[in-house]
Amino acid sequence: MADDVLRRNNVRVSGSGTQPMLFAHGFGCDQNMWRFVAPAFEDEYRVVLFDYVGSGKSDLAAYDAKRYSALDGYVQDVLDVVHALDLRDVVFVGHSVSSMVGVLAANREPDRFERLVMIGPSPRYVNDHPYVGGFERGDIEGLLEMMEGNYIGWANFLGPAIVKNPDRPELGAELVESFCSTDPVVARRFAEATFLSDNRADLPGVRVPSLILQCSDDMVAPLEVGDYLHREMPGSTLRVMKATGHCPHMSHPEETIERMREYLRPAHAG
């Protein structure tokens, strides 16, 4: 069973440390997106990378439309990997939607997780006055319709806008390529589960300390979202990065690594 999960989710383990650091990629991406950040922690941690079913080099035959119609399916992927490797005291590093996947996983099995590191998190993308999520519901529905009617056009439009940093067009092109390598039906269902989710009620129950890394100019998760998360999550630390865009682990890996180390070193000192 454990070996099945490791194959299904294309799990890769590296590093010489003992404490696990589990990296979870965002929507439309795969574990390769961590290549600028994860190696920096291999001397101190047991680094675990994986692909959600339906992403990267996971086993697409294991994809179940019902399971992955909500974030709970992705939460179960994380917990399956945690159990397969019998991970404890996990430092969970999640990008974008995976930040909320981490919240839900830690709420379900808090004894397995030591800390959450959330990069560009959002508990709800749709505005709900007075809450500011960054999008009107019609905006999200329009993007979902565009995915169905013109997936390549959707990817070419959204990839560069999400990454920002127009002086480095190769980053946006990489995200577009990642989007386009994902099955459009799987991507559409993952997008709906991501962008129409509302996990605000899950935040006050988090018992695991967390770091919120908020980019200074992010169209997906504006500054108000980071402030909201910090207010609602007990034991959270908010750091606003100089990095712009929604993918600082790709565009600004040095700052991402430094912010993570600043947070983790005091916690693990001695």
Side-chain angles (χ1 to χ4, degrees):
M1 177 61 183
D3 287 345
D4 291 345
V5 170
L6 301 184
R7 280 193 296 272
R8 183 192 71 184
N9 288 96
N10 187 32
V11 176
R12 296 288 180 267
V13 181
S14 62
S16 53
T18 56
Q19 183 172 18
M21 180 176 280
L22 176 60
F23 287 86
H25 62 80
F27 162 77
C29 302
D30 62 26
Q31 62 182 267
N32 188 49
M33 299 298 184
W34 293 114
R35 68 188 184 278
F36 301 126
V37 170
F41 294 93
E42 288 181 335
D43 287 343
E44 301 166 85
Y45 294 90
R46 183 186 183 197
V47 171
V48 181
L49 301 171
F50 73 100
D51 297 327
Y52 289 116
V53 172
S55 301
K57 296 181 180 177
S58 66
D59 180 7
L60 189 57
Y63 186 81
D64 180 281
K66 183 178 180 182
R67 168 170 166 148
Y68 297 103
S69 63
L71 293 189
D72 279 349
Y74 298 93
V75 173
Q76 192 59 55
D77 271 22
V78 167
L79 293 176
D80 286 349
V81 171
V82 167
H83 292 161
L85 295 173
D86 194 21
L87 303 180
R88 299 179 187 276
D89 296 323
V90 175
V91 176
F92 178 91
V93 184
H95 172 233
S96 194
V97 64
S98 279
S99 300
M100 288 304 109
V101 170
V103 164
L104 297 174
N107 281 356
R108 196 183 297 179
E109 298 194 31
D111 293 342
R112 292 280 185 170
F113 297 87
E114 192 220 41
R115 299 204 173 248
L116 302 177
V117 176
M118 306 191 296
I119 300 174
S122 176
R124 179 175 168 87
Y125 296 91
V126 177
N127 297 328
D128 183 14
H129 184 75
Y131 173 80
V132 176
F135 298 88
E136 296 299 334
R137 188 175 182 90
D139 299 333
I140 299 296
E141 291 173 345
L143 286 172
L144 294 174
E145 288 178 8
M146 188 175 180
M147 288 184 79
E148 289 183 347
N150 181 7
Y151 186 71
I152 301 299
W154 169 86
N156 280 306
F157 163 71
L158 207 58
I162 288 176
V163 173
K164 229 174 177 59
N165 295 278
D167 57 320
R168 300 169 65 192
E170 69 276 10
L171 296 176
E174 180 175 345
L175 190 57
V176 170
E177 183 177 351
S178 181
F179 285 161
C180 292
S181 67
T182 305
D183 182 298
V185 174
V186 171
R188 168 66 173 73
R189 194 171 289 119
F190 194 2
E192 185 168 341
T194 298
F195 294 110
L196 294 180
S197 63
D198 184 354
N199 296 106
R200 290 176 294 177
D202 298 300
L203 303 178
V206 177
R207 292 163 48 192
V208 178
S210 59
L211 171 64
I212 301 163
L213 290 180
Q214 169 72 52
C215 289
S216 55
D217 184 7
D218 181 354
M219 67 164 283
V220 179
L223 291 171
E224 292 90 339
V225 172
D227 292 336
Y228 180 89
L229 282 159
H230 184 43
R231 285 197 306 272
E232 296 297 319
M233 288 184 69
S236 66
T237 298
L238 172 64
R239 291 288 180 268
V240 178
M241 303 175 69
K242 295 177 183 176
T244 58
H246 189 59
C247 304
H249 55 314
M250 295 171 61
S251 63
H252 299 76
E254 297 85 2
E255 185 184 7
T256 303
I257 292 166
E258 187 55 32
R259 292 289 175 269
M260 289 175 61
R261 283 180 168 156
E262 284 175 358
Y263 175 72
L264 294 170
R265 275 178 178 156
H268 296 157

